[in-house]
């Protein structure tokens, strides 16, 4: 059996070897209990607030341009909280430590900037900026103000992704040579919503999670080139193309990503990481129902993981920020850490816009308006 720097744990009935015991659970601060202010009270924030409530983190202020939307969230999650329609009034409060900025992309940067200037730590929805200059400016501003700026890349703490990240970081798989990610699901629910007006909705609003996963799995190896094809799929109801295929290249590594968002019956979500010491496969019918299998030199193992993406994911992003504040360190999901994920996303979208031409990562500085809104 090869030497390891991790413990071994239980496994499912089909396993032949103990599974490595890796820390994949969402981080939680030991004693720090902040008061959180939510700016933007749209649909996804219900998942944020459920995760925070489960952890015992207080959201004391709810802000939205719609007083009704803010009031709805306040009534459901903290009847003693305050409702605001003007973020400036919320940001004046000395007792609010952390801002959860859950807004649409166009409004995000201004709100983040105001919050940082008010001395608040910020957890931003992803992507936290739609151009690299703004992203870098916000990173620098957080440093200047002495506060933390983190990004809600909640996919990092989906149990199977968090376990895979830990396996890569601890050297369980050795040096990776390939990453294969594929998702088949039905995204036609966007018909009649604002998302149906985004030409590159699959890459921008969905695949951005998977680009960030690739960025995490590759560690210090940077993705250098992106090639992408986006096509309408037969029978789809949504306006934007629901099929996408992406190739990402790094030194000694290829990552392929396949998205079919027009699977009207059934679903498959699969991850395959191949390294010099073994491989990890995670597969299941959905994002929240996954089975992980490890194949190493000493045999096959199947770790038994707990949790769901839409609970642990949101607890993980905020929890990591809170732990970083408590420990006075940079959060692992910091905006600075997320810059390369933005570069990958922008290059991929640029390649799709240019008919599949390869694009050097870092050479596409922004998301163009035409990629986000039909004429």
């Amino acid at each position: 059996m090869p030497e390891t720097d991790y413990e071994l744990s239980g496994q499912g009935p089909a396993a032949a070897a103990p599974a490595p015991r890796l820390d994949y659970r969402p981080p939680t601060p030991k004693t720090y209990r902040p008061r959180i202010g939510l700016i933007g009270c749209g649909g996804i924030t219900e998942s944020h607030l459920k995760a925070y409530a489960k952890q015992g983190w207080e959201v004391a202020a709810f802000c939205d341009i719609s007083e009704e939307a803010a009031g709805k969230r306040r009534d459901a999650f903290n009847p003693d909280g305050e409702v605001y329609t003007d973020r400036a009034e919320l940001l004046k409060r000395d007792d609010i430590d952390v801002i959860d900025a859950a807004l649409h992309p166009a409004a995000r940067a201004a709100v983040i900037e105001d919050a940082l200037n008010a001395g608040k730590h910020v957890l931003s929805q992803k992507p936290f900026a739609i151009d690299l200059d703004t992203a870098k400016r916000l990173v620098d501003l957080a440093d200047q103000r002495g506060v933390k700026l983190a990004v809600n890349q909640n996919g990092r703490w989906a149990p199977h992704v968090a376990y895979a990240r830990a396996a890569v970081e601890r050297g369980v798989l050795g040096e990776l040579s390939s990453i294969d990610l594929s998702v088949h699901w039905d995204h036609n629910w966007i018909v009649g919503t604002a998302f149906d007006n985004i030409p590159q909705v699959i890459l921008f609003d969905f695949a951005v999670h998977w680009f960030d996963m690739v960025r995490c799995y590759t560690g210090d190896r940077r993705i250098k080139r992106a090639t992408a094809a986006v096509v309408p799929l037969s029978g789809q109801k949504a306006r934007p193309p629901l099929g996408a295929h992406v190739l990402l290249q790094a030194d000694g590594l290829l990552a392929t990503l396949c998205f079919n968002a027009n699977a009207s019956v059934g679903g498959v979500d699969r991850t395959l990481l191949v390294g010099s010491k073994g491989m990890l496969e995670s597969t299941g019918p959905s994002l929240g129902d996954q089975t992980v299998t490890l194949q190493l030199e000493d045999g096959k193992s199947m770790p038994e993981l707990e949790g769901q993406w839409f609970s642990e994911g949101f607890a993980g992003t905020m929890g990591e920020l809170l732990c970083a504040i408590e420990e006075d360190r940079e959060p692992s999901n910091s905006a600075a850490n997320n810059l390369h994920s933005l570069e990958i996303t922008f290059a991929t979208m640029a390649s799709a816009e240019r008919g599949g031409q390869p694009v050097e990562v870092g050479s596409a500085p922004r998301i163009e308006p035409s990629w986000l809104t039909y004429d």
Side-chain angles (χ1 to χ4, degrees), residues 57-194:
W57 302 330
E58 180 187 5
V59 180
F62 303 79
C63 181
D64 197 283
I65 57 174
S66 166
E67 186 173 4
E68 179 182 2
K72 180 180 178 181
R73 292 287 180 253
R74 186 271 311 271
D75 294 347
F77 291 96
N78 184 5
D80 294 328
E82 296 291 332
V83 166
Y84 298 87
T85 57
D86 182 353
R87 67 176 182 267
E89 293 302 313
L90 186 161
L91 294 174
K92 288 178 183 178
R93 288 182 55 170
D94 292 335
D95 64 330
I96 298 295
D97 305 308
V98 176
I99 296 298
D100 183 357
L103 305 106
H104 291 295
R108 226 166 263 164
V111 172
I112 295 171
E113 184 171 4
D114 287 351
L116 296 175
N117 280 323
K120 312 298 185 186
H121 306 287
V122 177
L123 177 65
S124 169
Q125 197 46 290
K126 49 68 188 164
F128 77 99
I130 57 176
D131 70 86
L132 293 176
D133 286 344
T134 297
K136 293 172 183 176
R137 179 172 59 80
L138 292 173
V139 169
D140 290 341
L141 180 61
D143 288 341
Q144 293 165 13
R145 294 291 183 261
V147 291
K148 316 292 185 188
L149 173 58
V151 182
N152 199 338
Q153 291 283 180
N154 46 78
R156 293 189 183 193
W157 280 277
H160 65 289
V161 177
Y163 188 89
R165 282 195 301 116
V168 172
E169 290 167 3
R170 297 290 293 274
V172 175
L173 302 178
E175 186 173 23
L176 291 189
S177 57
S178 68
I179 301 169
D180 293 288
L181 310 175
S182 62
V183 195
H184 306 264
W185 81 109
D186 189 356
H187 211 63
N188 285 289
W189 66 265
I190 66 174
V191 173
T193 73

Side-chain angles (χ1 to χ4, degrees), residues 80-309:
D80 294 328
E82 296 291 332
V83 166
Y84 298 87
T85 57
D86 182 353
R87 67 176 182 267
E89 293 302 313
L90 186 161
L91 294 174
K92 288 178 183 178
R93 288 182 55 170
D94 292 335
D95 64 330
I96 298 295
D97 305 308
V98 176
I99 296 298
D100 183 357
L103 305 106
H104 291 295
R108 226 166 263 164
V111 172
I112 295 171
E113 184 171 4
D114 287 351
L116 296 175
N117 280 323
K120 312 298 185 186
H121 306 287
V122 177
L123 177 65
S124 169
Q125 197 46 290
K126 49 68 188 164
F128 77 99
I130 57 176
D131 70 86
L132 293 176
D133 286 344
T134 297
K136 293 172 183 176
R137 179 172 59 80
L138 292 173
V139 169
D140 290 341
L141 180 61
D143 288 341
Q144 293 165 13
R145 294 291 183 261
V147 291
K148 316 292 185 188
L149 173 58
V151 182
N152 199 338
Q153 291 283 180
N154 46 78
R156 293 189 183 193
W157 280 277
H160 65 289
V161 177
Y163 188 89
R165 282 195 301 116
V168 172
E169 290 167 3
R170 297 290 293 274
V172 175
L173 302 178
E175 186 173 23
L176 291 189
S177 57
S178 68
I179 301 169
D180 293 288
L181 310 175
S182 62
V183 195
H184 306 264
W185 81 109
D186 189 356
H187 211 63
N188 285 289
W189 66 265
I190 66 174
V191 173
T193 73
F195 295 102
D196 206 28
N197 293 319
I198 302 175
Q200 291 208 33
V201 68
I202 297 303
L203 297 182
F204 173 72
D205 188 63
F206 189 87
V208 62
H209 287 291
W210 278 259
F211 300 146
D212 185 68
M213 291 174 200
V214 170
R215 181 259 176 275
C216 291
Y217 297 147
T218 53
D220 293 335
R221 282 192 286 180
R222 293 179 62 83
I223 300 298
K224 294 185 174 182
R225 185 175 296 108
T227 307
V230 176
V231 296
L233 299 179
S234 177
Q236 71 169 67
K237 299 178 178 64
R239 186 179 183 190
L242 293 185
H245 196 273
V246 178
L247 176 66
L248 302 175
Q249 298 171 250
D251 288 340
L253 180 144
L254 286 177
T256 57
L257 301 88
C258 177
F259 303 95
N260 180 337
N262 192 45
S264 58
V265 178
V268 175
D269 180 335
R270 181 174 181 263
T271 298
L272 179 62
L273 308 180
V274 179
S276 58
K277 295 182 179 179
M279 63 175 60
L280 180 149
E281 181 182 28
S282 182
T283 188
S286 67
L287 305 177
D289 185 0
Q290 291 280 300
T291 298
V292 176
T293 303
L294 272 169
Q295 295 188 61
L296 305 174
E297 291 180 359
D298 58 346
K300 180 184 292 187
S301 62
M302 299 174 67
E304 295 180 347
L305 306 182
E306 299 177 353
Q308 295 283 327
W309 182 326

